[in-house]
Amino acid sequence: MNFILKNLNEKNLLFLISLFLIIFTFINFTHKHFEITKNKDYNSPIAVQEAALQKAELRTHVNKLLTSDSTYEEILSKKCSVTGSMHDRHKVRWVKSLLIKKIYQLSEKLNSNLPYYVNILLHSFLIFLSLIFLNQAFKLEKIHIIFFLLYVTYIFQFHLGEYSYSIFEMFFASAAIYASKKKNIILFFLIILMAILNRESGFIIILIWLIFNKEFKKLLIFSVIVLTIFLIVNYDSINCMVNPKFFIPLEKQPGQTMLSELGSINFYSRVLIVTMNYILPIGLIFYNVFKSNEKNKILILMGIIYLLVFLFAVPIHQMGIKLIILPLIFLSFNLSNKKMVN
């Protein structure tokens, strides 16, 4: 007990509070995400429909959805097709879907209600570990920890159709920053490999190595190896991947608002959407970079790439994907820290 009290300083207490806050936030989000909305389809493979259920019934329904083969059937079929739907590109994410399916189904064998809790704890701990990796890389100030919590709780106010991919990607980006700063190329390689199998945008994270290490030749070799593994794993989808519409569909997505439709929205809403979705998250990175003595060109490049992804490959109201740039925002916060490159 004395050991715990001795090590429970103000910052560690803040981390402990952060963990519980993240878990409670994700519990609340889970209930909203799986809550039934009559005759409304959110285009989620685990979307729940019909009338609202009681908590116990909702938990049972979530357990069934998380463990049902039909939930993952389309992705795991790996059948290559370009239909103009954003779900086409999910076919190259089958490894992560298979792993998640096995975890949920294994937990169900232990207890029929366990998948519901595993889903909450798995994603909550990934968010928390993202914060821990960033702290290990930069020794965060308390104000930055609070900013992390505010950012996360704000994002989870919204309906997030692909929340799992974004949480995993945020975790991998945070871990990649840590591995790059520690110059651990093996750990970095494993992180990037898992990131690209989670979502194809994980390739962008490769650039993090150059923020701390000016080893372009090593990164080029490393990138070729990762790309080769990605193509081998997704061999069945190679014919589709050469079609740009496989990753960036140009068709109108049911229930989604794309950038091209901003003109049909009133001026006030237009300004609010552009500010909250693009100017604030990406602008914060650019602001921190340009005010710093360290004008890191790689971080600027990554900011531009993510901005283009948000503009052309993601529906306007898909807020969950904004989680993946949170580690980059923390990178930008620490550009002026002389110890950052050491």
Side-chain angles (χ1 to χ4, degrees):
M1 187 66 178
N2 290 332
F3 174 80
I4 295 175
L5 293 174
K6 185 182 295 185
N7 289 275
L8 197 61
N9 56 37
E10 189 175 339
K11 189 173 180 180
N12 288 337
L13 179 61
L14 184 55
F15 278 121
L16 184 61
I17 293 172
S18 300
L19 175 59
F20 286 110
L21 179 61
I22 290 169
I23 292 174
F24 288 135
T25 298
F26 198 80
I27 290 173
N28 182 58
F29 163 77
T30 299
H31 289 178
K32 290 193 300 181
H33 179 78
F34 289 100
E35 199 171 68
I36 317 309
T37 305
K38 190 175 183 180
N39 299 324
K40 192 166 186 177
D41 180 9
Y42 286 108
N43 293 314
S44 169
I46 50 178
V48 187
Q49 299 178 17
E50 305 293 329
L53 301 173
Q54 297 297 326
K55 183 183 291 186
E57 294 176 316
L58 177 61
R59 185 167 57 243
T60 300
H61 201 90
V62 171
N63 287 324
K64 290 175 65 176
L65 286 168
L66 293 174
T67 57
S68 173
D69 288 336
S70 61
T71 300
Y72 311 92
E73 184 178 9
E74 182 64 23
I75 296 178
L76 296 182
S77 70
K78 296 183 284 183
K79 293 179 180 177
C80 173
S81 60
V82 181
T83 66
S85 169
M86 287 190 171
H87 293 289
D88 291 344
R89 60 195 183 195
H90 289 186
K91 298 295 177 60
V92 298
R93 307 173 187 177
W94 67 270
V95 173
K96 186 259 185 162
S97 295
L98 179 61
L99 177 61
I100 288 292
K101 173 188 172 183
K102 295 298 183 183
I103 291 173
Y104 291 143
Q105 291 183 341
L106 178 61
S107 64
E108 184 190 31
K109 292 179 181 179
L110 301 175
N111 185 295
S112 60
N113 284 322
L114 207 51
Y116 168 84
Y117 296 105
V118 169
N119 181 63
I120 291 172
L121 291 176
L122 171 64
H123 292 95
S124 296
F125 276 112
L126 286 174
I127 296 170
F128 179 68
L129 288 173
S130 299
L131 177 61
I132 295 300
F133 270 118
L134 291 170
N135 181 64
Q136 290 299 309
F138 303 123
K139 304 302 178 188
L140 302 178
E141 298 177 14
K142 291 190 285 291
I143 188 63
H144 290 155
I145 299 173
I146 294 171
F147 174 83
F148 182 96
L149 296 175
L150 289 174
Y151 191 102
V152 168
T153 52
Y154 171 73
I155 293 295
F156 280 101
Q157 293 181 74
F158 299 89
H159 173 79
L160 311 178
E162 298 184 358
Y163 69 89
S164 184
Y165 296 118
S166 297
I167 292 172
F168 270 82
E169 190 164 352
M170 177 179 68
F171 167 74
F172 290 134
S174 302
I177 289 172
Y178 170 80
S180 176
K181 189 168 187 295
K182 297 299 180 181
K183 305 185 185 303
N184 189 330
I185 187 67
I186 302 300
L187 177 60
F188 188 81
F189 173 82
L190 293 175
I191 291 167
I192 297 300
L193 187 58
M194 290 186 288
I196 64 169
L197 295 178
N198 168 66
R199 184 155 61 185
E200 58 283 355
S201 57
F203 279 106
I204 304 173
I205 300 175
I206 293 177
L207 292 171
I208 289 175
W209 182 258
L210 295 177
I211 291 178
F212 301 98
N213 309 279
K214 306 305 180 184
E215 300 170 313
F216 294 94
K217 185 177 180 180
K218 182 182 291 187
L219 183 70
L220 180 61
I221 297 172
F222 169 76
S223 300
V224 170
I225 294 173
V226 170
L227 177 60
T228 302
I229 294 173
F230 177 80
L231 293 176
I232 292 172
V233 170
N234 294 290
Y235 177 79
D236 294 333
S237 298
I238 287 179
N239 290 335
C240 287
M241 284 191 280
V242 296
N243 188 336
K245 289 176 65 176
F246 181 72
F247 293 111
I248 308 178
L250 303 177
E251 287 79 0
K252 161 70 176 172
Q253 302 297 306
Q256 301 285 1
T257 304
M258 302 302 289
L259 181 68
S260 58
E261 299 173 86
L262 270 182
S264 62
I265 303 174
N266 68 68
F267 178 76
Y268 174 77
S269 298
R270 200 182 311 162
V271 171
L272 185 62
I273 288 171
V274 171
T275 301
M276 300 306 295
N277 285 274
Y278 308 110
I279 295 178
L280 284 182
I282 300 295
L284 190 56
I285 295 173
F286 291 153
Y287 171 77
N288 286 329
V289 169
F290 290 115
K291 80 168 186 177
S292 169
N293 293 328
E294 179 69 26
K295 303 294 189 296
N296 195 294
K297 295 178 181 178
I298 300 299
L299 187 52
I300 294 173
L301 176 61
M302 291 185 72
I304 293 172
I305 293 173
Y306 275 118
L307 178 59
L308 294 175
V309 170
F310 294 164
L311 287 173
F312 300 108
V314 180
I316 290 174
H317 297 296
Q318 194 167 317
M319 292 296 293
I321 200 168
K322 305 304 187 300
L323 284 171
I324 67 180
I325 63 165
L326 184 55
L328 298 187
I329 293 175
F330 275 78
L331 254 177
S332 69
F333 281 148
N334 288 273
L335 281 176
S336 59
N337 185 352
K338 293 181 180 179
K339 295 180 180 179
M340 191 190 83
V341 295
N342 296 330

